[in-house]
PDB file of all heavy atoms in Angstrom:
ATOM      1  N   MET A  12      11.089  -9.552  -4.966  1.00 40.00           N
ATOM      2  CA  MET A  12      11.556  -8.186  -4.882  1.00 40.00           C
ATOM      3  C   MET A  12      13.066  -8.167  -4.773  1.00 40.00           C
ATOM      4  O   MET A  12      13.668  -9.035  -4.161  1.00 40.00           O
ATOM      5  CB  MET A  12      10.982  -7.478  -3.669  1.00 40.00           C
ATOM      6  CG  MET A  12       9.557  -7.079  -3.781  1.00 40.00           C
ATOM      7  SD  MET A  12       9.152  -5.969  -2.427  1.00 40.00           S
ATOM      8  CE  MET A  12       7.725  -5.234  -3.109  1.00 40.00           C
ATOM      9  N   THR A  13      13.649  -7.138  -5.328  1.00 43.00           N
ATOM     10  CA  THR A  13      15.108  -6.992  -5.204  1.00 43.00           C
ATOM     11  C   THR A  13      15.397  -6.300  -3.903  1.00 43.00           C
ATOM     12  O   THR A  13      14.483  -5.754  -3.263  1.00 43.00           O
ATOM     13  CB  THR A  13      15.645  -6.112  -6.356  1.00 43.00           C
ATOM     14  OG1 THR A  13      15.069  -4.813  -6.243  1.00 43.00           O
ATOM     15  CG2 THR A  13      15.310  -6.728  -7.708  1.00 43.00           C
ATOM     16  N   LEU A  18      12.458  -2.749   2.451  1.00 59.00           N
ATOM     17  CA  LEU A  18      12.946  -1.902   3.545  1.00 59.00           C
ATOM     18  C   LEU A  18      14.028  -2.615   4.352  1.00 59.00           C
ATOM     19  O   LEU A  18      13.846  -3.801   4.685  1.00 59.00           O
ATOM     20  CB  LEU A  18      11.803  -1.463   4.453  1.00 59.00           C
ATOM     21  CG  LEU A  18      10.703  -0.611   3.822  1.00 59.00           C
ATOM     22  CD1 LEU A  18       9.635  -0.274   4.836  1.00 59.00           C
ATOM     23  CD2 LEU A  18      11.281   0.650   3.220  1.00 59.00           C
ATOM     24  N   VAL A  28      17.825   6.307   7.315  1.00 74.00           N
ATOM     25  CA  VAL A  28      17.336   7.079   6.197  1.00 74.00           C
ATOM     26  C   VAL A  28      15.895   6.764   5.923  1.00 74.00           C
ATOM     27  O   VAL A  28      15.047   7.666   5.754  1.00 74.00           O
ATOM     28  CB  VAL A  28      18.213   6.824   4.906  1.00 74.00           C
ATOM     29  CG1 VAL A  28      17.591   7.468   3.699  1.00 74.00           C
ATOM     30  CG2 VAL A  28      19.623   7.263   5.134  1.00 74.00           C
ATOM     31  N   TRP A  29      15.569   5.445   5.911  1.00 75.00           N
ATOM     32  CA  TRP A  29      14.189   5.046   5.654  1.00 75.00           C
ATOM     33  C   TRP A  29      13.262   5.516   6.770  1.00 75.00           C
ATOM     34  O   TRP A  29      12.148   5.951   6.500  1.00 75.00           O
ATOM     35  CB  TRP A  29      14.087   3.545   5.511  1.00 75.00           C
ATOM     36  CG  TRP A  29      14.229   3.159   4.082  1.00 75.00           C
ATOM     37  CD1 TRP A  29      15.270   2.513   3.475  1.00 75.00           C
ATOM     38  CD2 TRP A  29      13.284   3.381   3.021  1.00 75.00           C
ATOM     39  NE1 TRP A  29      15.042   2.336   2.146  1.00 75.00           N
ATOM     40  CE2 TRP A  29      13.811   2.879   1.844  1.00 75.00           C
ATOM     41  CE3 TRP A  29      12.031   4.011   2.975  1.00 75.00           C
ATOM     42  CZ2 TRP A  29      13.191   2.954   0.621  1.00 75.00           C
ATOM     43  CZ3 TRP A  29      11.360   4.061   1.767  1.00 75.00           C
ATOM     44  CH2 TRP A  29      11.958   3.541   0.644  1.00 75.00           C
ATOM     45  N   LEU A  33       9.996   7.601   6.105  1.00 81.00           N
ATOM     46  CA  LEU A  33       8.697   7.102   6.500  1.00 81.00           C
ATOM     47  C   LEU A  33       7.959   8.074   7.434  1.00 81.00           C
ATOM     48  O   LEU A  33       6.781   8.249   7.334  1.00 81.00           O
ATOM     49  CB  LEU A  33       8.853   5.754   7.147  1.00 81.00           C
ATOM     50  CG  LEU A  33       9.278   4.579   6.268  1.00 81.00           C
ATOM     51  CD1 LEU A  33       9.548   3.336   7.072  1.00 81.00           C
ATOM     52  CD2 LEU A  33       8.250   4.325   5.173  1.00 81.00           C
ATOM     53  N   ILE A  48       4.227  16.231 -11.449  1.00 85.00           N
ATOM     54  CA  ILE A  48       5.212  16.186 -12.558  1.00 85.00           C
ATOM     55  C   ILE A  48       6.113  17.410 -12.388  1.00 85.00           C
ATOM     56  O   ILE A  48       5.637  18.515 -12.175  1.00 85.00           O
ATOM     57  CB  ILE A  48       4.514  16.207 -13.918  1.00 85.00           C
ATOM     58  CG1 ILE A  48       3.635  14.966 -14.088  1.00 85.00           C
ATOM     59  CG2 ILE A  48       5.528  16.327 -15.018  1.00 85.00           C
ATOM     60  CD1 ILE A  48       2.727  14.993 -15.232  1.00 85.00           C
ATOM     61  N   HIS A  61      12.093   4.377  -5.910  1.00 84.00           N
ATOM     62  CA  HIS A  61      11.698   3.033  -5.424  1.00 84.00           C
ATOM     63  C   HIS A  61      10.395   2.599  -6.080  1.00 84.00           C
ATOM     64  O   HIS A  61      10.247   1.438  -6.400  1.00 84.00           O
ATOM     65  CB  HIS A  61      11.576   3.077  -3.892  1.00 84.00           C
ATOM     66  CG  HIS A  61      12.923   2.905  -3.253  1.00 84.00           C
ATOM     67  ND1 HIS A  61      13.464   1.698  -2.938  1.00 84.00           N
ATOM     68  CD2 HIS A  61      13.824   3.844  -2.866  1.00 84.00           C
ATOM     69  CE1 HIS A  61      14.662   1.863  -2.378  1.00 84.00           C
ATOM     70  NE2 HIS A  61      14.889   3.171  -2.320  1.00 84.00           N
ATOM     71  N   TRP A  82      -8.889   7.421 -17.683  1.00 96.00           N
ATOM     72  CA  TRP A  82      -7.885   6.410 -17.291  1.00 96.00           C
ATOM     73  C   TRP A  82      -8.539   5.419 -16.324  1.00 96.00           C
ATOM     74  O   TRP A  82      -9.461   5.755 -15.591  1.00 96.00           O
ATOM     75  CB  TRP A  82      -6.688   7.070 -16.626  1.00 96.00           C
ATOM     76  CG  TRP A  82      -6.000   8.032 -17.479  1.00 96.00           C
ATOM     77  CD1 TRP A  82      -4.913   7.815 -18.278  1.00 96.00           C
ATOM     78  CD2 TRP A  82      -6.326   9.409 -17.659  1.00 96.00           C
ATOM     79  NE1 TRP A  82      -4.562   8.978 -18.943  1.00 96.00           N
ATOM     80  CE2 TRP A  82      -5.411   9.939 -18.585  1.00 96.00           C
ATOM     81  CE3 TRP A  82      -7.330  10.239 -17.170  1.00 96.00           C
ATOM     82  CZ2 TRP A  82      -5.439  11.300 -18.984  1.00 96.00           C
ATOM     83  CZ3 TRP A  82      -7.360  11.575 -17.583  1.00 96.00           C
ATOM     84  CH2 TRP A  82      -6.427  12.087 -18.461  1.00 96.00           C
ATOM     85  N   LEU A  84      -7.398   2.176 -13.411  1.00 95.00           N
ATOM     86  CA  LEU A  84      -6.365   1.565 -12.605  1.00 95.00           C
ATOM     87  C   LEU A  84      -6.155   0.114 -13.051  1.00 95.00           C
ATOM     88  O   LEU A  84      -7.127  -0.596 -13.331  1.00 95.00           O
ATOM     89  CB  LEU A  84      -6.743   1.606 -11.121  1.00 95.00           C
ATOM     90  CG  LEU A  84      -5.756   1.022 -10.137  1.00 95.00           C
ATOM     91  CD1 LEU A  84      -4.506   1.864 -10.105  1.00 95.00           C
ATOM     92  CD2 LEU A  84      -6.407   0.936  -8.761  1.00 95.00           C
ATOM     93  N   ASP A 108      -5.527  13.357 -10.281  1.00 92.00           N
ATOM     94  CA  ASP A 108      -6.209  12.539  -9.244  1.00 92.00           C
ATOM     95  C   ASP A 108      -5.828  11.046  -9.400  1.00 92.00           C
ATOM     96  O   ASP A 108      -5.550  10.393  -8.394  1.00 92.00           O
ATOM     97  CB  ASP A 108      -7.721  12.664  -9.353  1.00 92.00           C
ATOM     98  CG  ASP A 108      -8.237  13.973  -8.825  1.00 92.00           C
ATOM     99  OD1 ASP A 108      -7.525  14.674  -8.093  1.00 92.00           O
ATOM    100  OD2 ASP A 108      -9.389  14.328  -9.187  1.00 92.00           O
ATOM    101  N   GLY A 123       3.851  -0.456   3.646  1.00 83.00           N
ATOM    102  CA  GLY A 123       2.854  -1.178   4.486  1.00 83.00           C
ATOM    103  C   GLY A 123       1.958  -0.263   5.244  1.00 83.00           C
ATOM    104  O   GLY A 123       1.220  -0.709   6.142  1.00 83.00           O
ATOM    105  N   THR A 128      -5.281  11.176   3.215  1.00 70.00           N
ATOM    106  CA  THR A 128      -5.528  11.953   2.047  1.00 70.00           C
ATOM    107  C   THR A 128      -5.878  13.409   2.350  1.00 70.00           C
ATOM    108  O   THR A 128      -6.018  14.199   1.464  1.00 70.00           O
ATOM    109  CB  THR A 128      -6.618  11.318   1.146  1.00 70.00           C
ATOM    110  OG1 THR A 128      -7.800  11.217   1.940  1.00 70.00           O
ATOM    111  CG2 THR A 128      -6.156   9.992   0.675  1.00 70.00           C
TER     112      THR A 128
END
Side-chain angles (χ1 to χ4, degrees):
M12 284 193 162
T13 64
L18 295 180
V28 172
W29 268 109
L33 292 173
I48 299 169
H61 279 272
W82 300 266
L84 181 66
D108 286 342
T128 58

